[in-house]
Amino acid sequence: MLTTEKRIQIASDFFNAYKNHDLDKATALATPESTFRYIPLGDNGKGKIKGAEGTTWKGIASALIAAFPDLTNDVKNISIDHQGNAIVQVFIGGTQENEILGIPSQGKYYNVEHLFLLNINDDGLIENITCYWDNWDWFQQIGFNPAA
């Protein structure tokens, strides 16, 4: 069984690789069949859950880096729950230079808090990643109005 310290190190290594845009290193910390869920809180920021599954983390991360070439993350806290999951509070930000998800670039910077849940198995590999963030906050910061 992995120690709490080892689980924290795995989560830290994952986000350090992501920060350095080394997606191969980050995905090497996960099982080949790992799952990923990116769940934005509703467009109005009131907690309405909308989400897409079936998209790989590496695919989403690659698209974000392509649209926000200076994309970075600032991990504020990593804790381990009683099931061995890493709960990571992280601010992800960058300046939009290219279109993403049909959203044109206005050259604006964003820095939005995300909450990641990394399910780390006893072999030290990430099996599941779930991420939550306030989509409305992100839209406001990049100057996008979904109703327009």
Side-chain angles (χ1 to χ4, degrees), residues 2 10 16 36 46 55 58 60 69 73 103 116 131 133-134:
L2 294 178
I10 292 164
N16 283 333
F36 174 66
K46 302 260 188 233
T55 306
K58 189 173 182 180
I60 293 288
N73 66 69
I103 300 170
F116 278 80
C131 175
W133 82 99
D134 184 334

Side-chain angles (χ1 to χ4, degrees), residues 13-23 26 57 65 70-75:
D13 290 348
F14 176 83
F15 282 98
N16 283 333
Y18 185 20
K19 180 184 276 189
N20 293 320
H21 299 188
D22 190 345
L23 303 184
W57 174 84
I65 290 168
D70 63 346
L71 190 75
T72 191
N73 66 69
D74 181 18
V75 174

Side-chain angles (χ1 to χ4, degrees), residues 34-38 51-57 59-60:
S34 64
T35 60
F36 174 66
R37 293 178 34 178
Y38 216 37
E53 292 190 46
T55 306
T56 67
W57 174 84
I60 293 288

Side-chain angles (χ1 to χ4, degrees), residues 5 13 23-24 32-33 42 44-45 47 54 60 63 71 73-74 80 82 88-89 91 98 107 116 131 138:
E5 292 76 20
D13 290 348
L23 303 184
D24 290 333
E33 61 279 344
N44 62 7
I60 293 288
L71 190 75
N73 66 69
D74 181 18
I80 305 299
H82 67 281
V88 185
Q89 176 193 17
F91 282 81
N98 299 300
F116 278 80
C131 175
W138 184 60

